[in-house]
């Protein structure tokens, strides 16, 4: 029960008293240390210059062109519980979010910022799902629990040709004494392709080995042919499957996967979202089958 409580699995766990320490990392407290917030000294041109130290002096940072910034570097065992970010739309595809667990060299998460929060095409729109919420005016929220045993490091790289100012972020996590032996680590891949009539398939996920849960996929596609806006089967090849998949969503697999009918419109609920950003030929859908994860 205590192990479940650490993950904040529902309101029923709120009364449980746990052996954990909640910390928060932001531009005001970049290390998350106890008593480490609001230490910045305001300069004369800072809006907080007349208030002095201890007020909101450094609420955001500037992402320099071509540079990588470490947003969090947490030591010890713990669980990231909530990530909040907001920034201009020009950062959505040109800034890369990476996450490293336990001193690994290759990131377990490597995804453009906007796509990680289910905002594709470099566009801003609202999403309402259990693990991902995008509130009005680009408030990115992620509630996926992300455990780590020794260390957690999160970086963001600005691949744009210019600086991007006004990057706000907050990473809330809990430090714990230990984690269950059967705990899994959070991973996310991103890939893009241009399909053709000769080879119409797009690979969603590949190269995954070992035990785990598949918890969802975000898709963003551009309609290039009149009369076709995303129909197609979604196939799962699992544990040695070759030509014939283990799982096939029949008919219009894309619609079936989202649980909607033909000629779907904007749809947002607590499990998944089906937003159509700005109409036209650009569409997106974040299916998140959390109640029934694939094992």
């Amino acid at each position: 029960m205590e192990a479940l409580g650490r993950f904040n699995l529902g309101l029923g766990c709120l009364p449980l008293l746990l052996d954990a320490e909640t910390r928060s990392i932001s531009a005001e407290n970049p290390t998350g240390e106890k008593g480490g917030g609001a230490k910045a000294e305001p300069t004369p041109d800072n809006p907080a210059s007349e208030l002095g130290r201890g007020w909101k002096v450094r609420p955001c940072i500037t992402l320099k062109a071509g540079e990588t910034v470490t947003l969090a570097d947490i030591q010890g065992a713990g669980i990231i519980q909530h990530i909040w970010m907001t920034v201009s739309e020009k950062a959505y595809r040109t800034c890369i979010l990476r996450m490293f667990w336990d001193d690994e060299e290759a990131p377990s998460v490597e995804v453009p910022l906007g796509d990680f929060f289910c905002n594709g095409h470099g566009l801003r729109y609202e999403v309402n799902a259990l693990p991902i919420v995008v509130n009005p005016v680009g408030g990115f929220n992620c509630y996926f629990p992300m455990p780590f045993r020794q260390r957690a490091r999160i970086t963001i790289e600005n691949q744009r040709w210019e600086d991007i100012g006004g990057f706000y972020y907050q990473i809330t996590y809990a430090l714990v004494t230990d984690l269950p032996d059967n705990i899994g680590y959070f991973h996310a891949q991103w890939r893009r392709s241009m399909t053709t009539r000769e080879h119409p398939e797009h690979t969603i996920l590949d190269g995954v080995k070992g035990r785990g849960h598949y918890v969802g996929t975000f898709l963003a596609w551009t309609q290039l042919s009149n009369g076709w806006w995303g129909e197609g089967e979604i196939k799962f090849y699992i544990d040695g499957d070759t030509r014939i998949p283990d799982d096939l969503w029949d008919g219009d697999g894309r619609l079936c996967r989202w649980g909607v009918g033909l000629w779907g419109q904007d749809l947002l609920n607590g499990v998944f979202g089906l937003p159509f950003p700005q109409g036209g030929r650009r569409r997106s859908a974040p299916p998140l089958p959390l109640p029934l994860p694939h094992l």
Side-chain angles (χ1 to χ4, degrees):
M1 177 63 73
E2 181 176 352
L4 292 177
R6 296 170 184 167
F7 288 91
N8 291 336
L9 297 181
L11 297 178
C13 293
L14 289 180
L16 298 177
L17 301 181
L18 307 173
D19 185 16
E21 295 183 10
T22 300
R23 300 287 176 83
S24 183
I25 289 175
S26 67
E28 296 281 4
N29 186 357
T31 65
E33 63 181 313
K34 186 176 178 63
K39 286 185 174 181
E41 294 282 357
T43 58
D45 60 342
N46 191 290
S49 59
E50 296 183 4
L51 298 175
R53 189 181 186 190
W55 296 84
K56 186 183 290 186
V57 177
R58 189 176 182 265
C60 60
I61 63 175
T62 295
L63 304 176
K64 297 291 185 180
E67 293 187 3
T68 298
V69 176
T70 297
L71 301 177
D73 195 344
I74 307 167
Q75 302 292 331
I79 303 165
I80 294 175
Q81 300 166 314
H82 176 224
I83 299 175
W84 169 82
M85 297 177 180
T86 187
V87 68
S88 166
E89 292 172 83
K90 61 186 179 183
Y92 288 9
R93 268 286 167 86
T94 57
C95 288
I96 309 302
L97 190 65
R98 297 184 177 92
M99 302 182 188
F100 304 79
W101 314 126
D102 300 346
D103 292 320
E104 62 186 0
E105 295 183 2
S108 292
V109 175
E110 189 171 27
V111 182
L113 178 65
D115 294 87
F116 181 82
F117 290 96
C118 300
N119 269 208
H121 304 294
L123 301 175
R124 174 186 294 169
Y125 44 90
E126 297 175 22
V127 176
N128 181 21
L130 286 174
I132 299 291
V133 176
V134 179
N135 288 319
V137 202
F140 289 166
N141 295 271
C142 173
Y143 295 96
F144 275 112
M146 304 179 189
F148 51 93
R149 296 186 184 279
Q150 302 170 15
R151 183 186 183 192
R153 184 163 59 95
I154 301 177
T155 68
I156 186 166
E157 178 188 3
N158 180 9
Q159 297 184 348
R160 197 175 176 86
W161 60 87
E162 61 181 344
D163 296 350
I164 300 176
F167 178 76
Y168 298 78
Y169 67 98
Q170 185 162 344
I171 301 169
T172 303
Y173 60 98
L175 294 174
V176 299
T177 55
D178 65 305
L179 291 171
D181 293 336
N182 62 339
I183 206 165
Y185 283 61
F186 183 84
H187 291 73
Q189 295 182 3
W190 181 84
R191 51 173 51 87
R192 176 173 54 188
S193 69
M194 175 72 76
T195 58
T196 64
R197 294 183 184 275
E198 294 73 24
H199 186 72
E201 293 186 345
H202 168 75
T203 299
I204 295 175
L205 180 68
D206 195 14
V208 178
K209 298 180 180 180
R211 298 180 62 194
H213 290 171
Y214 163 75
V215 296
T217 296
F218 167 70
L219 293 180
W221 67 97
T222 300
Q223 178 185 346
L224 299 179
S225 301
N226 291 330
W228 183 93
W229 56 283
E231 291 90 341
E233 290 74 27
I234 297 179
K235 305 172 184 179
F236 287 81
Y237 297 85
I238 303 173
D239 295 342
D241 292 336
T242 55
R243 190 175 65 87
I244 305 299
D246 180 82
D247 193 1
L248 171 65
W249 293 83
D250 293 328
D252 184 358
R254 189 193 52 74
L255 292 176
C256 176
R257 190 63 181 157
W258 281 266
V260 301
L262 295 176
W263 318 113
Q265 302 297 319
D266 284 353
L267 172 64
L268 297 170
N269 64 35
V271 179
F272 62 87
L274 188 63
F276 293 162
Q278 298 184 5
R281 294 176 177 267
R282 289 177 173 176
R283 309 182 187 277
S284 68
L288 299 161
L290 294 177
L292 296 172
H294 281 58
L295 307 179

